[in-house]
Amino acid sequence: MSVFNQSRSRVIQIIIGAVFIVITFQLINLQIFSSKYKLAAENNAIYRKIVYPDRGIIFDRKKRALLENTISFDLIVTPSESKGTDTFALCSILNIDTAEYKKRMRDAIFKNTRVKPSVFEPLLNAELFAKLTENMYKFPGFVLSERSVRTYPYNTAAQLLGYIAEVDTAFLRKNHQFGYEMGDYAGMSGLEKTYESILMGERGIQRFIRDNKSRIQGPYENGLFDTIPVAGRNLFTSIDVEVQQLAELLLQNKIGSAVAINPRTGGIIAMVSSPTYNPNVLTGNARRKNWGRMVMDTAKPMYNRAIKGQYPPGSTFKPLGALVALDEGLITPSYGVGCGGGYGACGGVYVRCEHHNPGHAANLRLALANSCNAYFSDVFRKALDNKKYGNTNQGYLKWKEYMNAFGLGRRLEVDLPSEDKANIPDTSIYNKFFGGAKRWNSCSVLTLGIGQDKMTATPLQMANIMCIIANKGFYFPPHFVDSIEHEQVADSSFMNKYRSKHTVTNISDSDYQAVHDGMHDVTIYGTAAHIKIPGIEYCAKTGTAQNPHGKNHSLFVAFAPKNNPRIAVAVVVENGGYGSVAAGPIAGLIIEKYLNDTISTVGKATTERVSNMNLIPEAIKNWYTRKDAERAERLAKLALEEASEKNNDAIEINHKSNTEPLLEPGSKPVEGKDTSTKIKLNTALLLGNDKRKKIRDLKP
């Protein structure tokens, strides 16, 4: 054989040997090391059932559960195993058509593949669960899976607690490192979202062996590879559920917010954004019915105005303006101005006062008690024109530094998602607005001194400022959760920022005391003299914020008791007018309830009066009226359809308009109810008992 042929034979032998080695190595890898095909085979023979844990409970400061867990069931489908399902029977039970059935199947396959289980119908009610249980043998590939869902025994604090919902593909992409799967539920807002990793617990897995027809035969390996679920850990908060409920009652029929904080700890006692909603409407199957309606509601019940609402603080800002001037040595507590009804030293800019009586701004205490605009306009100009800073721009930057130190224009990092920082404008904003740094001065932005112009603050920021003033210069960051069950190192690392004392500035105690005295006078003979709290001396400041879109906003800030304060409050009522009219009584009752643990007889009368005060703007009222009319029309239409189904030609339905009750001829109408309730009750009388539930459950 030639040398050439010998070389070619050797190359062929080497190639064959290499292929043999690769094949042998791959066989060894597949048989011994790789689990890919083993898992694929096991997935055909083993059914993997997820056991969802109970989520952690959230307690108030007296260890009362603000939310609890109850058992519900999901209908789960594995599309690849659903061949032979009695589609008609399933659609009849679920009250869907075949088009919807096919759509859900396509969605399940798209989101979670054909071979993985997906939620087909979540959170079944008791009636649906019972019907499905009786007929599951007709639905191969479908199983009922138990899960824990939330209930809210106090029907309160919806925006604080937040809600949970099934994760979607976007959530899974964003949180892939946490091991979520389709069908899992997670916190989507509020404390549920912030503390999701603590509340969620750990899923358990049960494995069952299946035969060639996918029927469960029993536990796989006697449960050796099963894992048990681990319940989520509990949260203990500073919320007082009774104060929270009272604040929600007082703010009903209003748009606004109230925040109450314990200045000793930064723990939030109550936080209300109005209008609010019953948290039970976003749990279980009710969420599907109510979500769209609430999102479309023009009053935004899901919008937390306490941390996102931005309002000019108005005259509630004046104590802060006084502290800046005192600390800079620009005034003393005895400094006064002669106010004849307004401030006119800026020529074309005139700031009007509510008081004209002589001597009402003769010193700081009187100016605070009477809320003199002229006094605090003058004080603000002194701060911006302070000669030691050279010019107005530098004086403004120093003033802004004070504002940021007191928590304005920045986030306080409360343990809720989506907090806004509101606005303390930078000099660049005014440079652009006025056309250059040299084209504006302290007169150009004069109304900043009385909490107007481009300045805004959230109710949470206003309450935190009261904590700082109450504590004479320090605060703990506002937060809800005081402690976590079985706290771990990672938990402590997160919680330590809320347990750290923050010193704001080096303003002296004597300067703070001067402001305390003036704010106390507000409640003695000043603008809030008529708002009394039984047995408690307190400090407060009223505010009226200009609103270009309607009636002015009512604001009120306070802390109590005057000595050794234990609660700081801020209240904003949109379109409420003067601070002492709408916001003031609400703040007073919150303080009374928290400190006295009860409401006096006089306080109960005030509670009833304030809670019945309707300050919803006309545009929103008209929206609700229109929705009520549309709902009445749907009820009337449903009544006609139901009557037609019964083939009851003897029934004559009298409906002169969409808003009149439906009555059987000669029957007595239901009186003493609002129109929509009359329609519902009278229609039920008309149609009979078998149709009443459908009428009652109809949602707007």
Side-chain angles (χ1 to χ4, degrees):
M1 184 180 292
S2 66
V3 174
F4 174 77
N5 288 334
Q6 287 178 352
S7 298
R8 187 168 62 178
S9 176
R10 180 63 55 87
V11 169
I12 292 171
Q13 289 173 0
I14 291 171
I15 292 172
I16 293 172
V19 170
F20 178 77
I21 291 170
V22 169
I23 292 172
T24 303
F25 176 79
Q26 181 65 4
L27 287 171
I28 293 171
N29 178 56
L30 291 174
Q31 290 290 332
I32 299 174
F33 299 107
S34 175
S35 59
K36 177 180 178 182
Y37 291 101
K38 179 183 178 182
L39 289 174
E42 286 183 349
N43 283 338
N44 289 329
I46 299 171
Y47 172 68
R48 177 177 174 271
K49 179 182 179 182
I50 296 175
V51 183
Y52 292 103
D54 284 343
R55 286 180 71 86
I57 305 298
I58 301 176
F59 295 93
D60 86 337
R61 71 186 187 99
K62 294 182 179 179
K63 305 298 186 294
R64 294 170 290 200
L66 298 170
L67 47 73
E68 296 173 343
N69 294 313
T70 189
I71 298 300
S72 186
F73 289 85
D74 293 339
L75 180 62
I76 306 293
V77 63
T78 304
S80 63
E81 301 171 5
S82 62
K83 186 177 180 180
T85 291
D86 187 341
T87 307
F88 179 77
L90 183 59
C91 289
S92 298
I93 293 172
L94 297 179
N95 196 25
I96 61 174
D97 55 24
T98 53
E100 175 65 16
Y101 175 88
K102 292 176 182 177
K103 177 181 178 298
R104 293 189 188 185
M105 277 295 189
R106 288 195 301 270
D107 289 344
I109 295 168
F110 176 76
K111 293 178 181 178
N112 212 24
T113 76
R114 183 179 294 276
V115 297
K116 290 184 178 180
S118 299
V119 177
F120 190 83
E121 178 78 14
L123 305 174
L124 307 170
N125 58 41
E127 182 181 356
L128 206 53
F129 173 72
K131 288 181 179 178
L132 285 168
T133 302
E134 294 173 358
N135 292 275
M136 287 303 294
Y137 68 94
K138 300 177 182 178
F139 315 133
F142 287 84
V143 295
L144 294 169
S145 177
E146 181 180 304
R147 80 157 66 244
S148 148
V149 296
R150 294 301 207 190
T151 59
Y152 303 86
Y154 292 98
N155 302 332
T156 192
Q159 294 132 328
L160 315 184
L161 299 174
Y163 65 91
I164 60 174
E166 185 180 354
V167 301
D168 56 16
T169 51
F171 183 96
L172 292 175
R173 285 195 300 269
K174 186 177 180 180
N175 299 276
H176 62 90
Q177 70 272 27
F178 298 114
Y180 288 98
E181 299 179 6
M182 289 301 296
D184 287 352
Y185 276 58
M188 297 296 171
S189 68
L191 296 177
E192 293 273 23
K193 182 176 182 178
T194 302
Y195 294 94
E196 166 67 13
S197 61
I198 293 163
L199 294 167
M200 66 182 290
E202 297 178 15
R203 292 187 304 264
I205 304 293
Q206 291 180 341
R207 293 171 174 83
F208 300 91
I209 195 74
R210 299 191 287 195
D211 63 15
N212 61 343
K213 294 185 178 180
S214 294
R215 293 174 297 197
I216 301 295
Q217 299 300 304
Y220 174 67
E221 294 290 343
N222 293 319
L224 181 63
F225 298 101
D226 291 353
T227 58
I228 61 173
V230 178
R233 290 179 288 145
N234 300 327
L235 303 179
F236 301 95
T237 73
S238 52
I239 299 170
D240 188 308
V241 68
E242 292 181 357
V243 177
Q244 178 75 23
Q245 287 178 313
L246 173 65
E248 290 185 8
L249 173 65
L250 294 168
L251 276 164
Q252 71 178 7
N253 301 318
K254 302 167 190 67
I255 295 178
S257 177
V259 179
I261 305 176
N262 182 345
R264 295 175 175 178
T265 64
I268 298 175
I269 299 161
M271 179 185 283
V272 176
S273 177
S274 182
T276 185
Y277 61 94
N278 183 335
N280 285 296
V281 304
L282 289 185
T283 188
N285 265 336
R287 183 174 180 274
R288 283 187 173 184
K289 301 176 185 177
N290 296 309
W291 173 262
R293 175 176 60 86
M294 292 175 62
V295 169
M296 294 298 292
D297 193 328
T298 56
K300 299 181 179 180
M302 299 181 69
Y303 181 78
N304 190 347
R305 291 172 169 83
I307 60 173
K308 298 188 73 65
Q310 300 184 30
Y311 305 93
S315 294
T316 64
F317 171 78
K318 291 173 181 176
L320 188 51
L323 284 170
V324 173
L326 289 167
D327 189 49
E328 289 289 313
L330 301 172
I331 65 170
T332 65
S334 62
Y335 175 77
V337 299
C339 175
Y343 185 81
C346 281
V349 181
Y350 185 78
V351 179
R352 192 176 304 279
C353 288
E354 293 295 330
H355 294 80
H356 300 79
N357 53 300
H360 72 268
N363 56 51
L364 177 59
R365 289 182 66 165
L366 285 166
L368 280 169
N370 293 293
S371 195
C372 179
N373 287 341
Y375 186 98
F376 291 98
S377 297
D378 180 72
V379 164
F380 173 72
R381 288 196 66 202
K382 282 179 166 54
L384 263 61
D385 296 336
N386 193 341
K387 292 182 179 179
K388 74 178 180 180
Y389 299 115
N391 57 52
T392 299
N393 260 244
Q394 293 303 311
Y396 181 88
L397 288 174
K398 181 61 180 179
W399 177 85
K400 184 176 183 293
E401 183 182 314
Y402 275 102
M403 299 303 104
N404 294 154
F406 276 89
L408 294 177
R410 65 178 179 85
R411 294 180 182 87
L412 297 173
E413 297 187 7
V414 65
D415 49 349
L416 288 180
S418 305
E419 178 194 2
D420 280 354
K421 65 179 182 178
N423 186 46
I424 297 294
D426 192 71
T427 52
S428 60
I429 301 297
Y430 287 119
N431 292 343
K432 182 178 180 180
F433 183 79
F434 290 106
K438 295 183 179 180
R439 303 190 67 175
W440 64 278
N441 55 35
S442 59
C443 283
S444 307
V445 293
L446 183 63
T447 54
L448 282 173
I450 56 172
Q452 295 284 168
D453 198 75
K454 298 181 185 298
M455 175 197 300
T456 60
T458 66
L460 177 66
Q461 290 172 334
M462 297 181 205
N464 190 60
I465 289 173
M466 286 299 101
C467 290
I468 296 170
I469 295 176
N471 292 332
K472 296 185 177 179
F474 70 88
Y475 73 100
F476 293 89
H479 60 278
F480 289 96
V481 175
D482 288 334
S483 63
I484 300 170
E485 183 183 26
H486 306 312
E487 190 167 309
Q488 301 170 2
V489 174
D491 304 330
S492 298
S493 177
F494 177 79
M495 294 299 298
N496 282 342
K497 66 181 178 182
Y498 297 118
R499 296 164 180 168
S500 301
K501 180 178 176 180
H502 291 241
T503 301
V504 174
T505 65
N506 293 319
I507 298 175
S508 68
D509 283 1
S510 60
D511 289 343
Y512 277 108
Q513 189 59 51
V515 171
H516 280 211
D517 293 339
M519 293 179 67
H520 183 235
D521 289 347
V522 169
T523 70
I524 302 301
Y525 62 86
T527 53
H530 67 285
I531 302 173
K532 301 299 183 184
I533 304 174
I536 298 169
E537 290 189 61
Y538 72 108
C539 300
K541 186 69 194 75
T542 57
T544 307
Q546 293 180 3
N547 173 26
H549 307 293
K551 193 176 179 182
N552 290 340
H553 301 324
S554 174
L555 296 90
F556 196 90
V557 295
F559 61 85
K562 178 180 183 291
N563 300 314
N564 196 20
R566 291 189 285 131
I567 183 172
V569 179
V571 179
V572 177
V573 179
E574 296 184 22
N575 307 107
Y578 290 115
S580 62
V581 174
I586 294 173
L589 289 164
I590 289 173
I591 293 171
E592 180 181 350
K593 175 62 178 176
Y594 180 72
L595 294 181
N596 294 343
D597 202 29
T598 188
I599 298 292
S600 65
T601 303
V602 174
K604 289 177 181 177
T606 305
T607 299
E608 184 174 359
R609 176 180 62 81
V610 173
S611 63
N612 289 329
M613 189 186 298
N614 193 328
L615 298 174
I616 298 289
E618 287 302 319
I620 295 178
K621 287 181 183 178
N622 292 339
W623 185 86
Y624 284 127
T625 301
R626 188 171 67 254
K627 290 297 179 183
D628 284 344
E630 291 171 359
R631 181 168 181 252
E633 183 176 357
R634 291 199 303 275
L635 284 165
K637 184 178 179 181
L638 178 61
L640 287 166
E641 290 172 353
E642 297 286 3
S644 177
E645 288 175 9
K646 292 174 69 175
N647 294 316
N648 190 349
D649 297 331
I651 294 179
E652 295 179 16
I653 299 178
N654 174 21
H655 58 292
K656 295 178 182 177
S657 70
N658 288 332
T659 57
E660 282 198 23
L662 302 172
L663 298 174
E664 193 169 2
S667 63
K668 186 177 180 181
V670 178
E671 301 293 347
K673 302 287 184 182
D674 58 87
T675 301
S676 62
T677 305
K678 286 181 186 177
I679 293 170
K680 188 184 293 185
L681 294 175
N682 291 325
T683 304
L685 286 172
L686 174 69
L687 299 175
N689 290 326
D690 57 328
K691 305 300 181 185
R692 290 182 189 178
K693 186 177 186 302
K694 191 170 184 180
I695 297 289
R696 185 177 68 248
D697 292 343
L698 188 65
K699 300 293 181 183

